[in-house]
Amino acid sequence: KILILGACGQIGSELTQELRLIYGNENVIASDISYSNLEVVNSGIFEITDATDYASVKVCVEKHHIDTVYLMAAMLSAVGEKYPMKAWDLNMSSLFNILNLAKEKFIKRVFWPSSIAVFGPSTPKEHTPQFTTMEPTTVYGITKQVGERWCEYYYNKYNVDVRSLRYPGIISWKTLPGGGTTDYAVEIYHKAITDGHYECFLSEETKLPMMFMEDAIKATVDIMAVDTERIKIRSSYNLAAISFTPNEIANSIKEKLKEFTISYKPDFRQQIANSWPKSIDDSYARKDWNWSHSYSLSKITDKMLLELRKKYHQNLQKSK
Ligand code: VAH
C-alpha cells in the first residue's frame, strides 16, 4: 500500500490522482496536515497526519499496512525565508521520520523530492552537472542539500531504498503552488485569463529550469517503479525539461492572447532565483532509468490556457 504525505499540495495532489489511477484507490492512502484540497480528500482514502510527528506517521503506516511512502510535504523556498526554523523543522523531521521507519523495516521504499534549490551562486549556471559545487543560500536549499546527504547515508548504511529527484520549477493548473520562487510561471497563466495583465516578481531575463506537472509526475512514478539496481544515485537525480525567462513565457502567452501584457517588479524572490541554475544536465536520469520529458513551452501554454479557461468558466457558471 502507498502513503502520500503532503497529498494536498501542488505536486502531492496530482501524484495522488495518478497513483490512485495506476494502483487502485484501495491501495493509495492520501494524507496531509489538513483537509485543504477537497478533491483529494473526497476521491479516495484520506488521513490527517503530521509528517513531523513520528508516532502520527507510524500509526498511519501500521493501520494501512503501508510499504511505500512519497514524502511531498515541505516548506518551499520563498516561505522558508520568512520562517527559517519552521522550514528546517518541517523539512528535516519529516524526512528523518520516514527514513527511520524504513530503517526499522516498517516501510520498504521511499520517495523524497529534492530541488534545483540545492545549487547556489557558486554552481555552474548552464547545464548544471549532476556532481558539482553546491552552496545553497536559502534555508529550503540547505534542507534539500542535507536531506540528500541523509538519503544517501541511510541507503549506504541501512540499505534503505530511498529514491529522489531534484525537481525544477513545476507548472500545473489543478492546484496552486505553495510559496515557491518559480510560482510566477503558474500565476502568469491565471492572471492572463482573469486580468489580461501580470506583474511579475522576477526580472524579465531571469532564466530558470522548468517542467510541466505531467512530466514531473511521470518521472516520479518511473523512478519508483524501476528495479532498485538501476538507481545508481542515492542522493538525488538532476531532472530537467526546459528553461525559459519571464519574457519568453509571456511571449508564448501573447501568441494565444494578443492583448496580454506583462510588467516587472522584482521582489525578495529575485535573489533566490539569481542563486539557482539556468539549465540542468540530467543525463544520468536519462541513462540510468530512461527519463525523457514531453512538454515544450508552447505545449505547456496551450494546455494551461485551455484548462484554466475551462476552470474559470466553470467557476463563473457556479457563481451565477
Ligand atoms: C520553489 N517550486 O520555488 C519550488 C522549487 C525549484 C523550485 O523548489 O521553491
Side-chain angles (χ1 to χ4, degrees):
K1 296 275 182 86
I2 293 169
L3 172 63
I4 300 115
L5 295 172
C8 291
Q10 184 197 8
I11 304 174
S13 59
E14 299 215 35
L15 184 59
T16 298
Q17 190 175 35
E18 183 66 12
L19 293 171
R20 281 171 170 162
L21 273 177
I22 297 171
Y23 298 103
N25 258 20
E26 68 286 356
N27 294 314
V28 177
I29 287 74
S31 175
D32 212 308
I33 192 80
S34 69
Y35 299 103
S36 54
N37 186 319
L38 290 181
E39 192 178 329
V40 168
V41 173
N42 295 327
S43 49
I45 305 168
F46 185 85
E47 292 274 10
I48 295 279
T49 50
D50 175 351
T52 65
D53 174 355
Y54 181 79
S56 164
V57 180
K58 188 167 176 235
V59 159
C60 185
V61 163
E62 292 187 309
K63 175 181 172 185
H64 293 281
H65 312 293
I66 301 296
D67 54 53
T68 303
V69 175
Y70 291 76
L71 173 51
M72 307 310 286
M75 192 179 283
L76 299 183
S77 60
V79 178
E81 289 308 292
K82 290 183 180 150
Y83 309 104
M85 287 301 111
K86 187 81 196 85
W88 177 261
D89 174 46
L90 168 56
N91 295 5
M92 297 318 299
S93 54
S94 58
L95 176 59
F96 282 124
N97 289 339
I98 303 308
L99 290 177
N100 286 327
L101 281 167
K103 175 187 160 201
E104 285 138 33
K105 309 292 180 215
F106 289 103
I107 53 179
K108 292 200 185 74
R109 192 168 292 189
V110 174
F111 178 80
W112 178 76
S114 182
S115 160
I116 58 163
V118 289
F119 301 115
S122 57
T123 306
K125 290 239 179 283
E126 290 286 1
H127 309 299
T128 301
Q130 175 69 44
F131 304 103
T132 185
T133 312
M134 300 161 82
E135 297 174 309
T137 50
T138 62
V139 172
Y140 172 72
I142 293 167
T143 68
K144 292 303 181 183
Q145 181 183 31
V146 75
E148 290 187 6
R149 298 290 91 234
W150 280 110
C151 287
E152 190 182 75
Y153 183 87
Y154 268 68
Y155 174 75
N156 289 328
K157 184 120 176 164
Y158 309 118
N159 201 28
V160 166
D161 184 0
V162 51
R163 306 171 187 205
S164 180
L165 298 171
R166 290 172 182 160
Y167 288 132
I170 294 179
I171 299 170
S172 65
W173 54 274
K174 289 181 189 164
T175 306
L176 285 173
T181 300
T182 58
D183 296 2
Y184 91 87
V186 176
E187 289 173 9
I188 190 169
Y189 289 106
H190 288 263
K191 291 291 185 193
I193 289 171
T194 58
D195 300 11
H197 176 77
Y198 180 58
E199 184 178 84
C200 184
F201 58 74
L202 296 182
S203 65
E204 67 180 300
E205 292 317 312
T206 309
K207 183 177 170 188
L208 288 171
M210 296 280 186
M211 178 179 288
F212 193 54
M213 178 64 80
E214 282 184 39
D215 278 334
I217 299 296
K218 175 182 149 200
T220 310
V221 169
D222 286 357
I223 193 173
M224 287 294 276
V226 297
D227 294 342
T228 191
E229 55 277 355
R230 290 184 60 187
I231 308 292
K232 307 279 191 288
I233 292 172
R234 292 288 177 163
S235 49
S236 188
Y237 276 93
N238 278 6
L239 189 75
I242 56 177
S243 291
F244 56 72
T245 63
N247 183 45
E248 288 166 328
I249 188 172
N251 288 338
S252 81
I253 293 171
K254 281 178 195 160
E255 278 168 33
K256 301 290 172 190
L257 298 176
K258 299 278 176 280
E259 63 289 352
F260 172 65
T261 57
I262 184 167
S263 59
Y264 298 95
K265 193 176 174 200
D267 68 12
F268 75 99
R269 289 168 283 192
Q270 184 63 48
Q271 65 257 34
I272 296 177
N274 291 344
S275 74
W276 289 349
K278 295 176 185 295
S279 64
I280 298 285
D281 171 1
D282 62 355
S283 48
Y284 281 83
R286 291 172 191 265
K287 179 166 53 72
D288 292 355
W289 42 275
N290 221 7
W291 158 244
S292 68
H293 74 281
S294 317
Y295 278 80
S296 64
L297 177 54
S298 60
K299 215 175 147 190
I300 292 172
T301 295
D302 287 349
K303 183 80 171 159
M304 287 294 283
L305 293 178
L306 173 77
E307 296 298 345
L308 287 177
R309 274 197 185 110
K310 281 194 293 192
K311 191 169 178 173
Y312 283 105
H313 180 69
Q314 279 156 6
N315 292 355
L316 207 62
Q317 296 299 89
K318 275 187 211 145
S319 65
K320 277 179 183 160

